[in-house]
Amino acid sequence: MSRVRDRTEDFKEAVRVAALSHGYTEAQLAALMSSFIIRKPSPKSPFTNAAIKTLESIKELERFIVKHRRDYVDRHRTTEQERDNIEHEVGVFVKACKEQIDILKNRIHEEEKNGSTKTWLGTKDESSRLDLIAHQHGVVLILSERLHSVTAQFDRLRSMRFQDAINRAMPRKKIQKKPEVKPAESSKSNLVLKSDVSKVEEQEVSTAPMRVQQQLLDDETQALQVELTSLLDAVQETETKMMEMSALNHLMSTHVLQQAQQIQYLYDQAVEATNNVERGNKELSQAIQRNSSSRTFLLLFFFVLTFSVLFLDWYNN
């Protein structure tokens, strides 16, 4: 078995001789020889730069949510206006990230239509181009999932805020306790009542019209109080329902966004499956053509062989 010889030094010497023959200076020759040791990184594509920028924006959004988490949840730390400002800034962040992801998707679709996708090695192979497009779709899907996970964290904080608002809006019923009457106090009160019975009977005749008027005023006051209490309960119930509807509406929008991403993923999978079926049909048609051509060749071969045997047999006779 022959030994394997390392020809790296011979290659470097050949490169050095060729560089000197082309008039390279010492500095250029040193840079050329150092390139064999430390290679320059290949330039990144515009799609990769845009994807890295989008990922940085999502990470910045996540850091912002983590930084203001306690300020948003705890109502004693900040006011409602400040919490609304935090929610508005998060919404602006999410909208910007979604726009960047949509730009990446549109760029992939344009490159698919034009067929101008550059492969890693700069070749024009169709399989390499399809692999690169699939890789770009995967990058966009990962960015969408990362953005969805970050927004889910803020959705949990928002649901906590809504639940706190609902709890504060619920009416608090106060339990009124009746004062306990001790036996000694009850006996004293009975003696006082017995002594005051005669005085009360004397004043009943003079205070009867005033008692009737006072009773009417008390009834009207009690009726107004009952009406106002019922109105307050209705207002609090309406406010609670509005809070619940707002929370449900936000949860519904979140689920709709998640379903939209899933539908987009299914659409991409369907398009890829259609392309695979089309390529399979082309391969089948090519196989059928090769089969028919091989059959024709075999028939022609057997015909020529039979004719040659008959000719040789006639020639020998």
Side-chain angles (χ1 to χ4, degrees):
M1 185 176 179
S2 60
R3 295 182 179 179
V4 178
R5 181 184 176 187
D6 187 8
R7 304 297 298 274
T8 305
E9 297 297 331
D10 297 339
F11 174 74
K12 291 182 179 180
E13 182 65 23
V15 170
R16 191 180 67 81
V17 172
L20 291 175
S21 64
H22 284 81
Y24 274 51
T25 61
E26 292 295 332
Q28 293 176 347
L29 183 61
L32 180 62
M33 299 305 293
S34 64
S35 64
F36 289 105
I37 303 173
I38 303 175
R39 295 185 178 181
K40 295 182 180 179
S42 57
K44 297 179 181 179
S45 63
F47 178 85
T48 304
N49 293 327
I52 293 173
K53 183 179 178 181
T54 305
L55 181 60
E56 291 176 353
S57 301
I58 295 173
K59 289 182 178 179
E60 185 177 358
L61 171 61
E62 187 175 8
R63 288 193 295 268
F64 181 81
I65 293 174
V66 172
K67 180 180 178 181
H68 297 279
R69 178 184 298 171
R70 296 184 62 185
D71 296 335
Y72 185 79
V73 175
D74 192 357
R75 61 187 180 90
H76 300 290
R77 293 172 62 93
T78 55
T79 61
E80 290 292 332
Q81 183 64 33
E82 292 175 348
R83 296 164 79 182
D84 293 337
N85 292 334
I86 293 173
E87 187 170 348
H88 176 69
E89 291 181 6
V90 171
V92 172
F93 264 111
V94 173
K95 184 178 180 181
C97 294
K98 287 181 63 178
E99 289 178 353
Q100 293 177 4
I101 292 175
D102 292 336
I103 290 173
L104 292 176
K105 290 181 180 178
N106 295 330
R107 181 176 296 178
I108 293 173
H109 293 313
E110 290 178 358
E111 291 179 353
E112 283 182 347
K113 291 180 181 179
N114 300 329
S116 58
T117 306
K118 295 182 179 179
T119 58
W120 287 291
L121 300 177
T123 60
K124 296 182 179 180
D125 190 7
E126 182 67 17
S127 61
S128 300
R129 191 179 71 86
L130 294 176
D131 291 340
L132 181 58
I133 292 174
H135 168 72
Q136 291 176 352
H137 279 292
V139 170
V140 172
L141 182 61
I142 290 172
L143 291 175
S144 301
E145 292 178 351
R146 182 68 180 274
L147 178 62
H148 179 69
S149 65
V150 175
T151 53
Q153 295 179 8
F154 188 74
D155 290 339
R156 287 192 291 271
L157 299 179
R158 185 180 292 174
S159 63
M160 293 172 62
R161 179 187 178 187
F162 286 157
Q163 187 64 36
D164 182 59
I166 291 172
N167 294 333
R168 286 188 287 110
M170 292 294 290
R172 298 180 180 178
K173 296 182 179 179
K174 297 182 179 180
I175 301 175
Q176 297 180 354
K177 296 183 180 180
K178 295 182 179 180
E180 296 180 356
V181 181
K182 297 181 179 179
E185 293 179 356
S186 62
S187 62
K188 292 180 180 179
S189 61
N190 290 329
L191 293 175
V192 173
L193 288 175
K194 289 179 180 179
S195 63
D196 292 341
V197 167
S198 59
K199 296 180 181 179
V200 172
E201 290 178 352
E202 293 176 358
Q203 294 177 358
E204 280 182 354
V205 178
S206 60
T207 59
M210 295 179 63
R211 287 177 62 186
V212 172
Q213 187 178 3
Q214 185 68 29
Q215 184 67 30
L216 292 175
L217 290 175
D218 291 340
D219 294 339
E220 291 180 359
T221 303
Q222 187 175 2
L224 289 174
Q225 186 177 3
V226 171
E227 185 177 359
L228 290 175
T229 303
S230 62
L231 288 175
L232 179 61
D233 294 338
V235 170
Q236 290 177 348
E237 185 178 1
T238 304
E239 184 179 3
T240 303
K241 290 182 178 179
M242 291 297 295
M243 290 288 184
E244 292 177 355
M245 289 176 62
S246 177
L248 291 174
N249 187 17
H250 179 71
L251 292 176
M252 182 178 177
S253 62
T254 303
H255 288 298
V256 168
L257 176 62
Q258 185 177 4
Q259 289 180 359
Q261 294 176 356
Q262 292 177 355
I263 290 171
Q264 181 66 30
Y265 177 72
L266 291 175
Y267 173 75
D268 295 337
Q269 292 292 325
V271 171
E272 185 178 358
T274 304
N275 294 330
N276 291 332
V277 170
E278 290 179 356
R279 288 198 298 269
N281 291 330
K282 291 180 180 179
E283 294 292 336
L284 286 175
S285 61
Q286 292 178 2
I288 292 171
Q289 291 178 0
R290 287 194 294 268
N291 191 11
S292 61
S293 62
S294 62
R295 189 183 298 112
T296 304
F297 176 76
L298 287 174
L299 290 175
L300 181 62
F301 175 74
F302 283 120
F303 177 75
V304 172
L305 183 61
T306 304
F307 181 77
S308 300
V309 170
L310 292 176
F311 177 75
L312 291 174
D313 183 66
W314 174 80
Y315 181 75
N316 291 327
N317 292 333

